[in-house]
Amino acid sequence: MTHNGIYVGRFAPSPTGPLHLGSLCTALGSYLDARAKGGQWLLRIENIDPPREQPGAAEAIIRSLQAHQLHWDGEILWQSQRSDAYNHALHQLLNNSAAFYCSCSRSQLSTVGGVHRGDCIAPLDRSDAAIRLRVADDDIHFHDRLLGPITQHPANDGDVVLRRRDGLFAYQLAVVVDDEHQGVTDIVRGYDLVSSTGWQLLLQRALGYHQPHYLHLPLLVDEHGDKLSKRSYAPPLDDLQPEHNIRQVLGYLNQPSPPPELSLTETLNWAVAHYQPNSIPSQPIAINPK
């Protein structure tokens, strides 16, 4: 299960805005899962896309976690400081022919449905090229601890980009490299990322990495069924009401309700002691965030 017998989980937000209830749900779910197993819970800031980063968001995320007493182990890992590791992985993939340079533009790919599969349709220009993972036309099988057996066919979504034409590293590469580097054994994250799992499993295999266990949490959705997110202007967490927020999210995760007289620290300790992963809903959770 692990490199050394120890459970290692993580919370890995992107600093594109402050935390909201949906991101707190992911943070708390991964925290409970790690602490209930006596494991480590790490914090990683996935700041590899400067054009999307909101100034001050990373610091706001850290303040929110501290206000809600979701304390992580060790130092924060910042993806912006990990370029050498990502380049090393890319060289390994290129040398093994598991990845390739691609000069196809979005407009060119639009003529084939926007999905890159197999041979490039543009002449290769390495000075202006992305690097893609070579995705075989095979099924990928994995077990989700909440959802059960899952089969995906990553080739349907094409040869995923690992490094963009502008030189920025892509999420799919960075998350796999960093999970291996940090010894992550269990990934607890939102259901919106389940579709990325097939690509990530292919990358793990191509790089000779271990495969973590997965648990994809249900998304919080609004009255229209849309995911609560920074992009949809979900209101930021009120850091002055951490106990209220924690109890609210415990309810969303269908966890036992802590006694009302407990402090925030006691509430979290109680929630860890009474954690029931099998009670987490498998369907989206409709809420009114206002």
Side-chain angles (χ1 to χ4, degrees), residues 26-180:
T26 300
L28 183 59
S30 60
Y31 176 89
L32 293 176
D33 204 65
R35 296 301 188 221
K37 293 180 174 63
Q40 298 177 0
W41 188 65
L42 310 179
L43 176 61
R44 180 165 73 227
I45 302 295
E46 299 197 333
N47 59 335
I48 53 169
D49 195 350
R52 294 184 61 239
E53 187 171 343
Q54 185 182 105
E59 292 75 16
I61 288 169
I62 292 168
R63 286 196 302 271
S64 284
L65 292 174
Q66 291 171 333
H68 290 77
Q69 296 190 22
L70 297 176
H71 302 304
W72 57 91
D73 297 302
E75 299 294 323
I76 300 172
L77 187 144
W78 299 81
Q79 286 192 332
S80 58
Q81 301 173 3
R82 297 274 296 152
S83 295
D84 287 348
Y86 306 147
N87 275 320
H88 179 78
L90 281 176
H91 288 312
Q92 182 178 340
L93 292 166
L94 289 166
N95 288 339
N96 294 340
S97 298
F100 60 95
Y101 288 94
C102 170
S103 300
C104 300
S105 67
R106 288 187 179 181
S107 59
Q108 289 168 324
L109 289 177
S110 67
T111 63
V112 290
V115 175
H116 191 291
R117 297 185 64 174
D119 296 334
C120 294
I121 59 177
L124 179 59
D125 175 7
R126 289 198 180 187
S127 66
D128 182 29
I131 297 177
R132 293 180 180 272
L133 177 68
R134 195 180 306 279
V135 178
D137 195 18
D138 297 322
D139 285 339
I140 295 292
H141 307 277
F142 66 97
H143 182 86
D144 185 281
R145 290 174 46 208
L146 178 64
L147 305 173
I150 293 178
T151 298
Q152 294 181 341
H153 197 77
N156 289 342
D157 296 309
D159 303 314
V160 67
V161 170
L162 303 177
R163 193 190 72 190
R164 297 173 3 189
R165 295 166 76 106
D166 59 10
L168 293 178
F169 299 102
Y171 162 76
Q172 306 294 353
L173 175 74
V175 69
V176 167
V177 172
D178 288 339
D179 283 336
E180 176 72 10

